[in-house]
Amino acid sequence: MHVPDSPLQAMQLTMARYLRNPGVSPPPAGVEPRRLKIYEDLVYNNIEGFISGGFPVLRTIYQDADWHALVRAFVFQHRCHTPYFLEISQEFVRFLLEDYQRRDSDPPFLAALAHYEWVELALDISQDTLPEATLADDIANAVLCLSPLAWLLCYQYPVHRIGRAFRPQEASEPTYLAVYRNRADQVRFIELNAATARLLELIRDNRTETAAILLRRLAGELDVSQDAVLDFGEQQLREFITLSVVLVAHN
């Protein structure tokens, strides 16, 4: 255990422990209760406000008491890896995935929904930009890449449909999504089937191969007609390029 270097540091550590868990940890000696309450409210309300704003759908499915118990567990139990308020949402997701023991009041899709909402936020505030749009008259012979503002995701719950009126209690077949920010800086999503998700995965990892080569590889993996995959795949890729999910690297 670290030994404080000075009485001031000891008081600061005591204050920090108190602010993280005021119901259990004792406050530092000599601080007026009214001031303690002000500090306590400021710390908690700031953190809770960022989390509520970053996870609006998740917030709506909780009763107030259960929600605040979840946030207080985060404040008390989690050790953040960043001092920046804008990254509190990422730390909250890390907490749910790595440290949190789900309670009876928590939905089974808690971590999945939180991750999905965090992805939307991360894309919204991302400093990445899209290059100028490049059209491809010959999709088959174009080398394509995934947009830096597009994420390929897979969940065991249909997280994009969850809300007050729909709360699945059991995991289902995988839900594949492409979440992206378009050229109007709007965050959108596309629900994918397994084959289309695999196509985007091949494009995400691609550096040199043409779309035709990737589509033939996909046909081989699916054990279906190459012609059918090429026809459908080219149409799907044109849509992805229009939406700026996929970019033309070069022809």
Side-chain angles (χ1 to χ4, degrees), residues 90-195:
Q90 181 177 352
E91 292 291 338
F92 184 65
V93 172
R94 188 194 304 273
F95 165 67
L96 295 178
L97 291 172
E98 298 177 359
D99 303 326
Y100 185 60
Q101 297 296 316
R102 192 167 66 86
R103 307 161 300 172
D104 291 341
S105 58
D106 297 316
F109 52 78
L110 169 60
L113 177 58
H115 183 269
Y116 173 64
E117 292 203 88
W118 169 73
V119 168
E120 291 184 314
L121 175 64
L123 284 171
D124 188 49
I125 66 176
S126 174
Q127 297 300 305
D128 287 332
T129 58
L130 292 171
E132 288 189 20
T134 301
L135 300 178
D137 296 328
D138 184 5
I139 291 286
N141 291 312
V143 175
L144 306 178
C145 60
L146 196 65
S147 163
L149 292 172
W151 291 26
L152 181 60
L153 305 168
C154 178
Y155 299 102
Q156 292 301 314
Y157 295 89
V159 290
H160 58 302
R161 294 170 46 208
I162 292 174
R164 286 183 180 273
F166 177 64
R167 307 182 192 184
Q169 295 305 304
E170 295 182 357
S172 60
E173 293 296 316
T175 293
Y176 300 99
L177 300 172
V179 185
Y180 64 99
R181 196 174 87 197
N182 61 25
R183 295 188 182 277
D185 286 330
Q186 301 165 321
V187 177
R188 297 288 187 262
F189 74 87
I190 307 171
E191 185 172 3
L192 311 169
N193 59 33

Side-chain angles (χ1 to χ4, degrees), residues 8-150:
L8 175 59
Q9 187 179 26
M11 182 178 183
Q12 290 172 332
L13 291 173
T14 301
M15 174 67 88
R17 285 191 292 266
Y18 170 77
L19 293 176
R20 292 173 70 95
N21 195 9
V24 175
S25 300
V31 181
E32 182 184 357
R34 180 182 64 85
R35 292 181 180 275
L36 283 172
K37 180 62 175 173
I38 291 173
Y39 294 140
E40 177 187 335
D41 289 346
L42 281 173
V43 169
Y44 178 75
N45 290 338
N46 273 318
I47 295 174
E48 193 279 330
F50 271 98
I51 295 176
S52 291
F55 304 91
V57 177
L58 189 62
R59 176 65 182 94
T60 64
I61 64 176
Y62 272 92
Q63 298 295 323
D64 285 350
D66 293 330
W67 173 255
H68 289 295
L70 175 61
V71 176
R72 289 198 178 279
F74 166 66
V75 174
F76 174 55
Q77 298 175 23
H78 186 65
R79 296 297 182 268
C80 290
H81 293 74
T82 172
Y84 299 112
F85 269 107
L86 281 177
E87 297 184 13
I88 286 178
S89 295
Q90 181 177 352
E91 292 291 338
F92 184 65
V93 172
R94 188 194 304 273
F95 165 67
L96 295 178
L97 291 172
E98 298 177 359
D99 303 326
Y100 185 60
Q101 297 296 316
R102 192 167 66 86
R103 307 161 300 172
D104 291 341
S105 58
D106 297 316
F109 52 78
L110 169 60
L113 177 58
H115 183 269
Y116 173 64
E117 292 203 88
W118 169 73
V119 168
E120 291 184 314
L121 175 64
L123 284 171
D124 188 49
I125 66 176
S126 174
Q127 297 300 305
D128 287 332
T129 58
L130 292 171
E132 288 189 20
T134 301
L135 300 178
D137 296 328
D138 184 5
I139 291 286
N141 291 312
V143 175
L144 306 178
C145 60
L146 196 65
S147 163
L149 292 172

